[in-house]
Amino acid sequence: DFSFPGMVLYDSMKRSIKPILLVALIGLLLFFFFRSLDFSQVGAHITGTKIRWLWTMFLFMPLQYYFRSLRWRLLLGKEKVSLGDVFSSTSLGFAFNYLLPGRIGEWLRAYLLGRKGGLSTSYTFATVVLERLLDLGATVFLAGLFFPFRKSLMGSFSSEPTVLTLISKGSLLAFLFLLSIAIFLFFLYRGGERSLALWTRWVHRFCPARWAKPLAETGERFLQGVISFFGNPHKGAILFHSLMVWVFIAASYWVGLWDFALTMKPFAIIPYVVALLAGSSIPTPGMVGGFEALSQLALTGLYGMEANKAAAATILFHFSLIFATFLTALPFFFREGGGLFRLALRRGEERP
């Protein structure tokens, strides 16, 4: 029964079930992370590690967001949007991704930049979706550079073949997914107004009335974002900035592992970054659970690191990642005001 009382009951049940499922998912992932650890040894590794290189993450994080901001500004194609506004919106968005579930920070940064630059939130959010596809593309590209040379790069480690195979197959699936999305977006671009008319007709035919109009408008803004990308004269620079984002991410972990007596050729860090991308794609607050489970699996399975030491490295990496993000975003949070948190929470409650 989808009458008004039925919809109220449906929404109420959905909102109560989502937190339960989220907590269950986090618990399951953390169970896999902690199940075979000796907590005294993990603590000894954490307290006994001399932090010399892990601090570079606090340098690499602003650089990563700088290249993200350059890319996003080019994707928007709006010269009137200042780089400073793009950087602040990006930093705050990622900080809120670590605070709240469901990637609320992605919507928040689109909203903030739209408000500052006089742009539609739907349009800016469409470019955020394109950004995420570019992130996936850059990671798949790096994985493509790694796998032809994986034997020489990983030969000095006692890698588990199943883990490396899992990551290679995952990268192949990601490539096929990305290729299909790219083809789909290209046909959307070529279809232009016809694509928009088809989407609008489909939405009004199959979706409830209260969702049809906003979904149609969102589709229109998303198509504008797709057209903006394919017609963008700066595609080469956009792709370069995407690659630089992940070069700095990879460099931060490559250097950080030196503190745990794990050195390798630079390209050997790529499968670890691929594993972290898979873990961070699970929409838990602060990537809790997914980051831990996939990081530990990669460090032990790819590089032969002892499990307790791998857990200590993972915990310190995760703490440094979140703290560096908050430190980067902190000045902008004070500038924007505490209302941001209430806005993000309200948006999370309104999401279907």
Side-chain angles (χ1 to χ4, degrees), residues 35-36 146-147 150 154-169 271 293-307 310:
R35 60 178 175 169
S36 59
F146 164 80
F147 282 109
R150 60 186 180 275
M154 306 298 290
S156 60
F157 301 110
S158 53
S159 304
E160 294 182 18
T162 53
V163 175
L164 198 57
T165 301
L166 182 65
I167 292 177
S168 63
K169 288 183 177 179
L294 271 295
S295 173
Q296 185 190 46
L297 175 68
L299 290 175
T300 56
L302 292 174
Y303 309 108
M305 185 180 282
E306 191 268 329

Coordinates of all heavy atoms in Angstrom, one line a residue, residues 35-36 146-147 150 154-169 271 293-307 310:
R35 N 40.0 -10.4 13.9 CA 39.7 -11.8 14.3 C 41.0 -12.5 14.7 O 40.9 -13.4 15.6 CB 39.0 -12.5 13.2 CG 39.7 -12.6 11.9 CD 39.0 -13.4 10.9 NE 39.6 -13.4 9.6 CZ 39.3 -14.2 8.6 NH1 38.3 -15.0 8.7 NH2 39.9 -14.1 7.4
S36 N 42.1 -12.3 14.1 CA 43.3 -13.1 14.4 C 44.5 -12.3 14.9 O 45.6 -12.7 14.8 CB 43.8 -13.9 13.1 OG 44.1 -12.9 12.1
F146 N 51.0 -1.5 -13.9 CA 51.7 -2.4 -12.9 C 51.6 -3.9 -13.4 O 52.7 -4.5 -13.3 CB 50.9 -2.3 -11.6 CG 51.2 -3.4 -10.6 CD1 52.4 -3.4 -9.9 CD2 50.4 -4.5 -10.5 CE1 52.7 -4.5 -9.0 CE2 50.6 -5.5 -9.6 CZ 51.8 -5.5 -8.9
F147 N 50.5 -4.4 -13.8 CA 50.3 -5.8 -14.0 C 51.2 -6.5 -15.0 O 51.7 -7.6 -14.8 CB 48.9 -6.1 -14.2 CG 48.0 -6.1 -13.0 CD1 47.1 -5.1 -12.8 CD2 48.2 -7.0 -12.0 CE1 46.4 -5.0 -11.6 CE2 47.5 -7.0 -10.8 CZ 46.6 -6.0 -10.6
R150 N 54.3 -7.2 -12.9 CA 54.1 -7.6 -11.5 C 55.1 -8.6 -11.0 O 55.5 -8.6 -9.8 CB 52.7 -8.1 -11.3 CG 52.3 -9.3 -12.1 CD 50.8 -9.7 -12.0 NE 50.4 -10.9 -12.7 CZ 50.1 -10.9 -14.0 NH1 50.1 -9.7 -14.7 NH2 49.7 -12.0 -14.6
M154 N 57.1 -7.5 -7.7 CA 56.7 -8.2 -6.5 C 57.5 -9.4 -6.2 O 57.3 -10.2 -5.2 CB 55.2 -8.7 -6.6 CG 54.3 -7.5 -6.9 SD 54.2 -6.2 -5.7 CE 53.4 -7.0 -4.4
G155 N 58.6 -9.7 -7.0 CA 59.4 -10.9 -6.8 C 60.1 -11.0 -5.5 O 60.3 -12.1 -5.0
S156 N 60.4 -9.9 -4.8 CA 61.1 -10.0 -3.5 C 60.2 -10.2 -2.4 O 60.6 -10.3 -1.2 CB 61.9 -8.7 -3.3 OG 61.0 -7.5 -3.3
F157 N 58.8 -10.2 -2.6 CA 57.9 -10.4 -1.5 C 57.3 -11.8 -1.6 O 57.1 -12.4 -2.7 CB 56.8 -9.3 -1.6 CG 57.2 -7.9 -1.5 CD1 57.2 -7.1 -2.7 CD2 57.8 -7.4 -0.4 CE1 57.6 -5.8 -2.6 CE2 58.2 -6.1 -0.3 CZ 58.2 -5.3 -1.4
S158 N 56.9 -12.3 -0.4 CA 56.2 -13.6 -0.4 C 54.7 -13.4 -0.5 O 53.9 -13.5 0.4 CB 56.5 -14.3 0.9 OG 56.2 -13.5 2.0
S159 N 54.3 -12.9 -1.8 CA 52.9 -12.6 -2.0 C 52.1 -13.9 -2.1 O 52.5 -14.9 -2.6 CB 52.8 -11.8 -3.3 OG 53.6 -10.7 -3.3
E160 N 50.8 -13.8 -1.7 CA 49.9 -14.8 -1.9 C 49.3 -14.7 -3.3 O 48.7 -13.6 -3.6 CB 48.8 -14.8 -0.8 CG 49.3 -15.1 0.6 CD 48.2 -15.0 1.6 OE1 47.0 -15.2 1.2 OE2 48.5 -14.9 2.8
P161 N 49.4 -15.7 -4.1 CA 48.9 -15.6 -5.5 C 47.4 -15.2 -5.6 O 47.0 -14.5 -6.4 CB 49.2 -16.9 -6.1 CG 50.3 -17.5 -5.3 CD 50.1 -17.0 -3.9
T162 N 46.7 -15.8 -4.6 CA 45.2 -15.5 -4.6 C 44.9 -14.1 -4.4 O 43.9 -13.5 -5.0 CB 44.5 -16.4 -3.5 OG1 45.1 -16.1 -2.3 CG2 44.6 -17.8 -3.8
V163 N 45.6 -13.4 -3.6 CA 45.4 -11.9 -3.3 C 45.7 -11.1 -4.5 O 44.9 -10.2 -5.0 CB 46.2 -11.4 -2.1 CG1 46.0 -9.9 -1.9 CG2 45.8 -12.2 -0.8
L164 N 46.9 -11.4 -5.2 CA 47.2 -10.7 -6.4 C 46.3 -11.0 -7.5 O 45.9 -10.0 -8.3 CB 48.7 -11.1 -6.8 CG 49.4 -10.1 -7.7 CD1 49.5 -8.7 -7.2 CD2 50.8 -10.7 -8.0
T165 N 45.8 -12.2 -7.6 CA 44.8 -12.6 -8.6 C 43.5 -11.8 -8.4 O 42.9 -11.3 -9.3 CB 44.6 -14.1 -8.7 OG1 45.8 -14.7 -8.9 CG2 43.6 -14.5 -9.7
L166 N 43.1 -11.8 -7.1 CA 41.9 -11.1 -6.8 C 41.9 -9.6 -7.2 O 41.0 -9.1 -7.7 CB 41.6 -11.2 -5.3 CG 40.3 -10.6 -4.7 CD1 39.1 -11.3 -5.3 CD2 40.3 -10.6 -3.2
I167 N 43.1 -9.0 -6.9 CA 43.2 -7.5 -7.2 C 43.3 -7.4 -8.7 O 42.7 -6.4 -9.3 CB 44.4 -7.0 -6.5 CG1 44.2 -6.9 -5.0 CG2 44.8 -5.6 -7.0 CD1 45.4 -6.4 -4.2
S168 N 44.0 -8.3 -9.4 CA 44.1 -8.1 -10.9 C 42.7 -8.3 -11.5 O 42.3 -7.6 -12.5 CB 45.1 -9.1 -11.4 OG 44.6 -10.5 -11.2
K169 N 41.9 -9.3 -11.1 CA 40.6 -9.5 -11.6 C 39.6 -8.3 -11.3 O 38.8 -7.9 -12.1 CB 40.0 -10.8 -11.1 CG 40.6 -12.0 -11.7 CD 40.0 -13.3 -11.2 CE 40.6 -14.5 -11.9 NZ 40.0 -15.8 -11.4
P271 N 49.1 -2.0 -6.3 CA 48.0 -2.9 -5.9 C 47.5 -2.6 -4.5 O 46.3 -2.9 -4.2 CB 48.7 -4.3 -6.0 CG 50.1 -4.1 -6.0 CD 50.3 -2.8 -6.7
A293 N 40.0 -3.7 6.7 CA 39.9 -5.0 6.1 C 40.8 -5.2 4.9 O 41.6 -6.1 4.7 CB 38.5 -5.5 5.9
L294 N 40.6 -4.2 3.9 CA 41.4 -4.3 2.6 C 42.8 -4.0 2.8 O 43.7 -4.5 2.1 CB 40.7 -3.4 1.6 CG 39.5 -4.1 0.8 CD1 40.1 -5.2 -0.1 CD2 38.4 -4.6 1.6
S295 N 43.1 -3.0 3.7 CA 44.5 -2.6 3.9 C 45.3 -3.8 4.5 O 46.4 -4.1 4.0 CB 44.6 -1.4 4.8 OG 46.0 -1.2 5.2
Q296 N 44.7 -4.4 5.5 CA 45.4 -5.6 6.1 C 45.6 -6.7 5.2 O 46.6 -7.4 5.1 CB 44.6 -6.0 7.4 CG 45.3 -7.1 8.2 CD 44.4 -7.7 9.2 OE1 43.3 -8.0 9.0 NE2 45.0 -7.8 10.4
L297 N 44.5 -7.0 4.4 CA 44.6 -8.1 3.4 C 45.7 -7.8 2.4 O 46.5 -8.7 2.1 CB 43.3 -8.2 2.7 CG 43.2 -9.2 1.5 CD1 43.3 -10.6 2.1 CD2 41.9 -9.1 0.8
A298 N 45.8 -6.6 1.9 CA 46.9 -6.2 1.0 C 48.3 -6.3 1.5 O 49.2 -6.8 0.9 CB 46.6 -4.9 0.4
L299 N 48.4 -5.7 2.7 CA 49.8 -5.7 3.3 C 50.3 -7.1 3.7 O 51.5 -7.4 3.5 CB 49.8 -4.9 4.6 CG 49.6 -3.4 4.4 CD1 49.5 -2.6 5.7 CD2 50.8 -2.8 3.6
T300 N 49.4 -8.0 4.1 CA 49.8 -9.4 4.5 C 49.9 -10.2 3.2 O 50.8 -11.0 3.0 CB 48.9 -10.0 5.5 OG1 47.5 -9.9 5.0 CG2 48.9 -9.3 6.8
G301 N 48.9 -10.1 2.3 CA 48.8 -11.0 1.2 C 49.8 -10.6 0.0 O 50.2 -11.4 -0.7
L302 N 50.1 -9.3 -0.1 CA 50.9 -8.8 -1.2 C 52.4 -8.7 -0.8 O 53.3 -9.0 -1.6 CB 50.4 -7.5 -1.7 CG 49.1 -7.4 -2.4 CD1 48.7 -6.0 -2.7 CD2 49.1 -8.2 -3.7
Y303 N 52.6 -8.2 0.4 CA 54.0 -7.9 0.8 C 54.5 -8.8 1.9 O 55.6 -8.6 2.4 CB 54.1 -6.4 1.2 CG 53.5 -5.5 0.2 CD1 52.3 -4.8 0.4 CD2 54.1 -5.3 -1.0 CE1 51.7 -4.0 -0.5 CE2 53.5 -4.4 -2.0 CZ 52.3 -3.8 -1.7 OH 51.8 -3.0 -2.6
G304 N 53.7 -9.7 2.4 CA 54.2 -10.7 3.4 C 54.4 -10.0 4.7 O 55.1 -10.6 5.6
M305 N 53.7 -8.9 5.0 CA 53.9 -8.3 6.3 C 53.1 -9.1 7.4 O 52.0 -9.6 7.1 CB 53.4 -6.9 6.3 CG 53.6 -6.1 7.6 SD 52.9 -4.4 7.5 CE 54.2 -3.6 6.5
E306 N 53.7 -9.2 8.6 CA 53.1 -9.9 9.7 C 51.8 -9.3 10.0 O 51.7 -8.0 10.0 CB 54.1 -10.0 10.8 CG 53.7 -10.9 12.0 CD 52.8 -10.2 13.0 OE1 53.1 -9.0 13.2 OE2 52.0 -10.8 13.6
A307 N 50.8 -10.1 10.4 CA 49.4 -9.5 10.6 C 49.3 -8.4 11.6 O 48.6 -7.4 11.4 CB 48.5 -10.7 10.9
A310 N 50.9 -5.4 10.2 CA 50.0 -4.8 9.2 C 48.8 -4.1 9.8 O 48.4 -3.0 9.3 CB 49.5 -5.9 8.3

